[in-house]
Amino acid sequence: EAQVTQNPRYLITVTGKKLTVTCSQNMNHEYMSWYRQDPGLGLRQIYYSMNVEVTDKGDVPEGYKVSRKEKRNFPLILESPSPNQTSLYFCASSNLAGRSTDTQYFGPGTRLTVL
Amino acid sequence: AQRVTQPEKLLSVFKGAPVELKCNYSYSGSPELFWYVQYSRQRLQLLLRHISRESIKGFTADLNKGETSFHLKKPFAQEEDSAMYYCALREYGNKLVFGAGTILRVKS
């Protein structure tokens, strides 16, 4: 089954404790992206990747890092989490950027709470 | 900057009533617009896109360039339509810019 998976689905942590949220897709998509969803703000893009070893900042990259060592994986890293990073995080993937028929497939979401 | 505005945080209608979820955008080029839906405890999924001019689950949306709008409509709401709806605009590449979302509640 074609899908995007994220782990963990729920995470409660404390300020400053490094964490990684994994994202994996099995559709051989080139494009992958991370969003955070906050009430009243919708989804905002954190980082995206056009292909292996090609990553770039989205609209709200501060406090986050990503890597794309393999095509299928796109982990989101919070080196020193802070309470303002408490949010619902979504990973998404799609085929080559720019084709109007591309559909972005979203993962199930990771609810992160930073105390 | 490109923007997507969904003016209603919550829209509550009775079953069988018409539904219109509003979406307005600002974009300097030729826009590509989408509606995404998120049912309770489920992931975000594409509902429809303007370029396909399709009807999905009874929903339609017409791009009105003059009014810069892409409102989502359904003539008769059903309880299973209750969800969060996001309007989104494709910016450069595959980047999507989302509106703040509208919760649709269909009451029986």
Side-chain angles (χ1 to χ4, degrees), chain B residues 54-78:
Chain B
E54 57 204 341
S55 173
I56 303 291
K57 298 184 180 183
F59 285 97
T60 59
D62 291 319
L63 179 62
N64 186 323
K65 291 186 179 180
E67 296 181 359
T68 59
S69 68
F70 188 55
H71 303 328
L72 183 68
K73 299 178 184 178
K74 184 169 182 175
F76 308 104
Q78 298 172 323

PDB file of all heavy atoms in Angstrom, chain B residues 54-78:
ATOM      1  N   GLU B  54     -13.436  18.615 -11.116  1.00  0.00           N
ATOM      2  CA  GLU B  54     -14.151  17.382 -10.792  1.00  0.00           C
ATOM      3  C   GLU B  54     -15.099  17.621  -9.626  1.00  0.00           C
ATOM      4  O   GLU B  54     -15.064  18.646  -8.965  1.00  0.00           O
ATOM      5  CB  GLU B  54     -13.132  16.300 -10.411  1.00  0.00           C
ATOM      6  CG  GLU B  54     -12.234  16.701  -9.262  1.00  0.00           C
ATOM      7  CD  GLU B  54     -10.905  15.957  -9.229  1.00  0.00           C
ATOM      8  OE1 GLU B  54     -10.790  14.894  -9.853  1.00  0.00           O
ATOM      9  OE2 GLU B  54      -9.984  16.444  -8.559  1.00  0.00           O
ATOM     10  N   SER B  55     -15.941  16.620  -9.394  1.00  0.00           N
ATOM     11  CA  SER B  55     -16.816  16.617  -8.220  1.00  0.00           C
ATOM     12  C   SER B  55     -16.465  15.393  -7.407  1.00  0.00           C
ATOM     13  O   SER B  55     -16.499  14.267  -7.911  1.00  0.00           O
ATOM     14  CB  SER B  55     -18.283  16.580  -8.644  1.00  0.00           C
ATOM     15  OG  SER B  55     -19.111  16.427  -7.513  1.00  0.00           O
ATOM     16  N   ILE B  56     -16.096  15.607  -6.160  1.00  0.00           N
ATOM     17  CA  ILE B  56     -15.714  14.516  -5.284  1.00  0.00           C
ATOM     18  C   ILE B  56     -16.644  14.527  -4.067  1.00  0.00           C
ATOM     19  O   ILE B  56     -16.785  15.558  -3.410  1.00  0.00           O
ATOM     20  CB  ILE B  56     -14.256  14.661  -4.818  1.00  0.00           C
ATOM     21  CG1 ILE B  56     -13.315  14.747  -6.019  1.00  0.00           C
ATOM     22  CG2 ILE B  56     -13.873  13.510  -3.901  1.00  0.00           C
ATOM     23  CD1 ILE B  56     -13.181  13.479  -6.809  1.00  0.00           C
ATOM     24  N   LYS B  57     -17.251  13.402  -3.796  1.00  0.00           N
ATOM     25  CA  LYS B  57     -18.169  13.273  -2.648  1.00  0.00           C
ATOM     26  C   LYS B  57     -19.243  14.363  -2.694  1.00  0.00           C
ATOM     27  O   LYS B  57     -19.713  14.828  -1.649  1.00  0.00           O
ATOM     28  CB  LYS B  57     -17.401  13.341  -1.320  1.00  0.00           C
ATOM     29  CG  LYS B  57     -16.395  12.225  -1.168  1.00  0.00           C
ATOM     30  CD  LYS B  57     -15.716  12.257   0.184  1.00  0.00           C
ATOM     31  CE  LYS B  57     -14.717  11.120   0.297  1.00  0.00           C
ATOM     32  NZ  LYS B  57     -14.065  11.045   1.605  1.00  0.00           N
ATOM     33  N   GLY B  58     -19.616  14.783  -3.880  1.00  0.00           N
ATOM     34  CA  GLY B  58     -20.657  15.798  -4.030  1.00  0.00           C
ATOM     35  C   GLY B  58     -20.162  17.225  -3.926  1.00  0.00           C
ATOM     36  O   GLY B  58     -20.937  18.161  -4.117  1.00  0.00           O
ATOM     37  N   PHE B  59     -18.873  17.395  -3.639  1.00  0.00           N
ATOM     38  CA  PHE B  59     -18.296  18.726  -3.521  1.00  0.00           C
ATOM     39  C   PHE B  59     -17.771  19.210  -4.869  1.00  0.00           C
ATOM     40  O   PHE B  59     -17.221  18.435  -5.640  1.00  0.00           O
ATOM     41  CB  PHE B  59     -17.124  18.734  -2.537  1.00  0.00           C
ATOM     42  CG  PHE B  59     -17.507  18.668  -1.096  1.00  0.00           C
ATOM     43  CD1 PHE B  59     -17.507  17.467  -0.408  1.00  0.00           C
ATOM     44  CD2 PHE B  59     -17.869  19.829  -0.410  1.00  0.00           C
ATOM     45  CE1 PHE B  59     -17.856  17.409   0.933  1.00  0.00           C
ATOM     46  CE2 PHE B  59     -18.219  19.777   0.920  1.00  0.00           C
ATOM     47  CZ  PHE B  59     -18.211  18.569   1.594  1.00  0.00           C
ATOM     48  N   THR B  60     -17.929  20.491  -5.108  1.00  0.00           N
ATOM     49  CA  THR B  60     -17.336  21.138  -6.274  1.00  0.00           C
ATOM     50  C   THR B  60     -16.696  22.447  -5.832  1.00  0.00           C
ATOM     51  O   THR B  60     -17.039  23.001  -4.783  1.00  0.00           O
ATOM     52  CB  THR B  60     -18.386  21.442  -7.356  1.00  0.00           C
ATOM     53  OG1 THR B  60     -19.401  22.294  -6.794  1.00  0.00           O
ATOM     54  CG2 THR B  60     -19.012  20.181  -7.902  1.00  0.00           C
ATOM     55  N   ALA B  61     -15.787  22.916  -6.636  1.00  0.00           N
ATOM     56  CA  ALA B  61     -15.164  24.212  -6.362  1.00  0.00           C
ATOM     57  C   ALA B  61     -14.778  24.827  -7.696  1.00  0.00           C
ATOM     58  O   ALA B  61     -14.152  24.169  -8.522  1.00  0.00           O
ATOM     59  CB  ALA B  61     -13.934  24.058  -5.473  1.00  0.00           C
ATOM     60  N   ASP B  62     -15.161  26.053  -7.885  1.00  0.00           N
ATOM     61  CA  ASP B  62     -14.856  26.760  -9.126  1.00  0.00           C
ATOM     62  C   ASP B  62     -13.892  27.897  -8.837  1.00  0.00           C
ATOM     63  O   ASP B  62     -14.099  28.687  -7.902  1.00  0.00           O
ATOM     64  CB  ASP B  62     -16.129  27.324  -9.764  1.00  0.00           C
ATOM     65  CG  ASP B  62     -17.014  26.224 -10.301  1.00  0.00           C
ATOM     66  OD1 ASP B  62     -16.464  25.267 -10.886  1.00  0.00           O
ATOM     67  OD2 ASP B  62     -18.246  26.311 -10.117  1.00  0.00           O
ATOM     68  N   LEU B  63     -12.874  27.968  -9.662  1.00  0.00           N
ATOM     69  CA  LEU B  63     -11.914  29.052  -9.534  1.00  0.00           C
ATOM     70  C   LEU B  63     -12.492  30.301 -10.180  1.00  0.00           C
ATOM     71  O   LEU B  63     -12.855  30.281 -11.365  1.00  0.00           O
ATOM     72  CB  LEU B  63     -10.598  28.665 -10.215  1.00  0.00           C
ATOM     73  CG  LEU B  63      -9.491  29.707 -10.191  1.00  0.00           C
ATOM     74  CD1 LEU B  63      -9.074  30.022  -8.765  1.00  0.00           C
ATOM     75  CD2 LEU B  63      -8.291  29.222 -11.010  1.00  0.00           C
ATOM     76  N   ASN B  64     -12.605  31.364  -9.430  1.00  0.00           N
ATOM     77  CA  ASN B  64     -13.089  32.639  -9.939  1.00  0.00           C
ATOM     78  C   ASN B  64     -11.932  33.626  -9.868  1.00  0.00           C
ATOM     79  O   ASN B  64     -11.643  34.184  -8.812  1.00  0.00           O
ATOM     80  CB  ASN B  64     -14.280  33.133  -9.094  1.00  0.00           C
ATOM     81  CG  ASN B  64     -14.912  34.379  -9.659  1.00  0.00           C
ATOM     82  OD1 ASN B  64     -14.227  35.258 -10.173  1.00  0.00           O
ATOM     83  ND2 ASN B  64     -16.221  34.469  -9.567  1.00  0.00           N
ATOM     84  N   LYS B  65     -11.276  33.817 -10.988  1.00  0.00           N
ATOM     85  CA  LYS B  65     -10.085  34.668 -10.995  1.00  0.00           C
ATOM     86  C   LYS B  65     -10.437  36.128 -10.748  1.00  0.00           C
ATOM     87  O   LYS B  65      -9.661  36.872 -10.163  1.00  0.00           O
ATOM     88  CB  LYS B  65      -9.331  34.516 -12.307  1.00  0.00           C
ATOM     89  CG  LYS B  65      -8.669  33.153 -12.460  1.00  0.00           C
ATOM     90  CD  LYS B  65      -7.806  33.088 -13.713  1.00  0.00           C
ATOM     91  CE  LYS B  65      -7.140  31.727 -13.835  1.00  0.00           C
ATOM     92  NZ  LYS B  65      -6.294  31.624 -15.037  1.00  0.00           N
ATOM     93  N   GLY B  66     -11.631  36.539 -11.195  1.00  0.00           N
ATOM     94  CA  GLY B  66     -12.024  37.928 -10.991  1.00  0.00           C
ATOM     95  C   GLY B  66     -12.179  38.252  -9.509  1.00  0.00           C
ATOM     96  O   GLY B  66     -11.774  39.315  -9.043  1.00  0.00           O
ATOM     97  N   GLU B  67     -12.755  37.323  -8.766  1.00  0.00           N
ATOM     98  CA  GLU B  67     -12.950  37.519  -7.328  1.00  0.00           C
ATOM     99  C   GLU B  67     -11.835  36.882  -6.506  1.00  0.00           C
ATOM    100  O   GLU B  67     -11.888  36.920  -5.281  1.00  0.00           O
ATOM    101  CB  GLU B  67     -14.299  36.927  -6.904  1.00  0.00           C
ATOM    102  CG  GLU B  67     -15.502  37.607  -7.534  1.00  0.00           C
ATOM    103  CD  GLU B  67     -16.824  37.015  -7.067  1.00  0.00           C
ATOM    104  OE1 GLU B  67     -16.808  36.060  -6.270  1.00  0.00           O
ATOM    105  OE2 GLU B  67     -17.870  37.518  -7.527  1.00  0.00           O
ATOM    106  N   THR B  68     -10.870  36.282  -7.186  1.00  0.00           N
ATOM    107  CA  THR B  68      -9.779  35.529  -6.534  1.00  0.00           C
ATOM    108  C   THR B  68     -10.338  34.621  -5.447  1.00  0.00           C
ATOM    109  O   THR B  68      -9.928  34.670  -4.276  1.00  0.00           O
ATOM    110  CB  THR B  68      -8.681  36.454  -5.955  1.00  0.00           C
ATOM    111  OG1 THR B  68      -9.254  37.348  -4.987  1.00  0.00           O
ATOM    112  CG2 THR B  68      -8.019  37.250  -7.056  1.00  0.00           C
ATOM    113  N   SER B  69     -11.284  33.791  -5.843  1.00  0.00           N
ATOM    114  CA  SER B  69     -11.917  32.894  -4.882  1.00  0.00           C
ATOM    115  C   SER B  69     -11.938  31.468  -5.415  1.00  0.00           C
ATOM    116  O   SER B  69     -11.861  31.231  -6.634  1.00  0.00           O
ATOM    117  CB  SER B  69     -13.342  33.353  -4.570  1.00  0.00           C
ATOM    118  OG  SER B  69     -14.174  33.184  -5.708  1.00  0.00           O
ATOM    119  N   PHE B  70     -12.038  30.541  -4.480  1.00  0.00           N
ATOM    120  CA  PHE B  70     -12.118  29.110  -4.815  1.00  0.00           C
ATOM    121  C   PHE B  70     -12.987  28.453  -3.744  1.00  0.00           C
ATOM    122  O   PHE B  70     -12.562  27.604  -2.982  1.00  0.00           O
ATOM    123  CB  PHE B  70     -10.703  28.522  -4.835  1.00  0.00           C
ATOM    124  CG  PHE B  70     -10.622  27.102  -5.353  1.00  0.00           C
ATOM    125  CD1 PHE B  70     -11.136  26.751  -6.589  1.00  0.00           C
ATOM    126  CD2 PHE B  70     -10.011  26.115  -4.598  1.00  0.00           C
ATOM    127  CE1 PHE B  70     -11.057  25.448  -7.054  1.00  0.00           C
ATOM    128  CE2 PHE B  70      -9.912  24.810  -5.059  1.00  0.00           C
ATOM    129  CZ  PHE B  70     -10.436  24.480  -6.285  1.00  0.00           C
ATOM    130  N   HIS B  71     -14.237  28.842  -3.718  1.00  0.00           N
ATOM    131  CA  HIS B  71     -15.132  28.368  -2.672  1.00  0.00           C
ATOM    132  C   HIS B  71     -15.544  26.926  -2.916  1.00  0.00           C
ATOM    133  O   HIS B  71     -15.801  26.512  -4.056  1.00  0.00           O
ATOM    134  CB  HIS B  71     -16.391  29.234  -2.606  1.00  0.00           C
ATOM    135  CG  HIS B  71     -16.102  30.689  -2.371  1.00  0.00           C
ATOM    136  ND1 HIS B  71     -15.041  31.130  -1.627  1.00  0.00           N
ATOM    137  CD2 HIS B  71     -16.775  31.809  -2.800  1.00  0.00           C
ATOM    138  CE1 HIS B  71     -15.046  32.456  -1.590  1.00  0.00           C
ATOM    139  NE2 HIS B  71     -16.076  32.886  -2.305  1.00  0.00           N
ATOM    140  N   LEU B  72     -15.669  26.182  -1.833  1.00  0.00           N
ATOM    141  CA  LEU B  72     -16.063  24.765  -1.892  1.00  0.00           C
ATOM    142  C   LEU B  72     -17.559  24.664  -1.602  1.00  0.00           C
ATOM    143  O   LEU B  72     -18.028  25.207  -0.609  1.00  0.00           O
ATOM    144  CB  LEU B  72     -15.266  23.957  -0.861  1.00  0.00           C
ATOM    145  CG  LEU B  72     -15.491  22.450  -0.831  1.00  0.00           C
ATOM    146  CD1 LEU B  72     -14.946  21.802  -2.102  1.00  0.00           C
ATOM    147  CD2 LEU B  72     -14.810  21.843   0.401  1.00  0.00           C
ATOM    148  N   LYS B  73     -18.270  23.937  -2.453  1.00  0.00           N
ATOM    149  CA  LYS B  73     -19.727  23.900  -2.315  1.00  0.00           C
ATOM    150  C   LYS B  73     -20.238  22.470  -2.376  1.00  0.00           C
ATOM    151  O   LYS B  73     -19.654  21.604  -3.043  1.00  0.00           O
ATOM    152  CB  LYS B  73     -20.393  24.698  -3.445  1.00  0.00           C
ATOM    153  CG  LYS B  73     -20.027  26.163  -3.463  1.00  0.00           C
ATOM    154  CD  LYS B  73     -20.667  26.877  -4.632  1.00  0.00           C
ATOM    155  CE  LYS B  73     -20.213  28.323  -4.705  1.00  0.00           C
ATOM    156  NZ  LYS B  73     -20.766  29.032  -5.850  1.00  0.00           N
ATOM    157  N   LYS B  74     -21.340  22.284  -1.674  1.00  0.00           N
ATOM    158  CA  LYS B  74     -22.068  21.017  -1.752  1.00  0.00           C
ATOM    159  C   LYS B  74     -23.538  21.333  -1.545  1.00  0.00           C
ATOM    160  O   LYS B  74     -23.892  22.042  -0.610  1.00  0.00           O
ATOM    161  CB  LYS B  74     -21.573  20.028  -0.700  1.00  0.00           C
ATOM    162  CG  LYS B  74     -22.225  18.661  -0.811  1.00  0.00           C
ATOM    163  CD  LYS B  74     -21.532  17.637   0.060  1.00  0.00           C
ATOM    164  CE  LYS B  74     -22.181  16.265  -0.116  1.00  0.00           C
ATOM    165  NZ  LYS B  74     -21.475  15.199   0.620  1.00  0.00           N
ATOM    166  N   PRO B  75     -24.410  20.829  -2.405  1.00  0.00           N
ATOM    167  CA  PRO B  75     -25.818  21.220  -2.308  1.00  0.00           C
ATOM    168  C   PRO B  75     -26.531  20.668  -1.073  1.00  0.00           C
ATOM    169  O   PRO B  75     -27.415  21.328  -0.526  1.00  0.00           O
ATOM    170  CB  PRO B  75     -26.433  20.688  -3.607  1.00  0.00           C
ATOM    171  CG  PRO B  75     -25.481  19.663  -4.110  1.00  0.00           C
ATOM    172  CD  PRO B  75     -24.136  20.017  -3.597  1.00  0.00           C
ATOM    173  N   PHE B  76     -26.152  19.469  -0.641  1.00  0.00           N
ATOM    174  CA  PHE B  76     -26.846  18.841   0.491  1.00  0.00           C
ATOM    175  C   PHE B  76     -25.810  18.220   1.426  1.00  0.00           C
ATOM    176  O   PHE B  76     -25.234  17.179   1.112  1.00  0.00           O
ATOM    177  CB  PHE B  76     -27.821  17.766  -0.006  1.00  0.00           C
ATOM    178  CG  PHE B  76     -28.774  18.244  -1.061  1.00  0.00           C
ATOM    179  CD1 PHE B  76     -28.579  17.887  -2.392  1.00  0.00           C
ATOM    180  CD2 PHE B  76     -29.841  19.065  -0.746  1.00  0.00           C
ATOM    181  CE1 PHE B  76     -29.437  18.336  -3.383  1.00  0.00           C
ATOM    182  CE2 PHE B  76     -30.701  19.522  -1.725  1.00  0.00           C
ATOM    183  CZ  PHE B  76     -30.507  19.153  -3.046  1.00  0.00           C
ATOM    184  N   ALA B  77     -25.604  18.836   2.556  1.00  0.00           N
ATOM    185  CA  ALA B  77     -24.591  18.342   3.487  1.00  0.00           C
ATOM    186  C   ALA B  77     -25.016  17.035   4.140  1.00  0.00           C
ATOM    187  O   ALA B  77     -26.202  16.809   4.416  1.00  0.00           O
ATOM    188  CB  ALA B  77     -24.339  19.390   4.568  1.00  0.00           C
ATOM    189  N   GLN B  78     -24.022  16.180   4.400  1.00  0.00           N
ATOM    190  CA  GLN B  78     -24.243  14.924   5.104  1.00  0.00           C
ATOM    191  C   GLN B  78     -23.392  14.908   6.369  1.00  0.00           C
ATOM    192  O   GLN B  78     -22.357  15.582   6.440  1.00  0.00           O
ATOM    193  CB  GLN B  78     -23.865  13.749   4.192  1.00  0.00           C
ATOM    194  CG  GLN B  78     -24.714  13.688   2.936  1.00  0.00           C
ATOM    195  CD  GLN B  78     -24.207  12.646   1.957  1.00  0.00           C
ATOM    196  OE1 GLN B  78     -23.006  12.446   1.815  1.00  0.00           O
ATOM    197  NE2 GLN B  78     -25.137  11.988   1.279  1.00  0.00           N
TER     198      GLN B  78
END
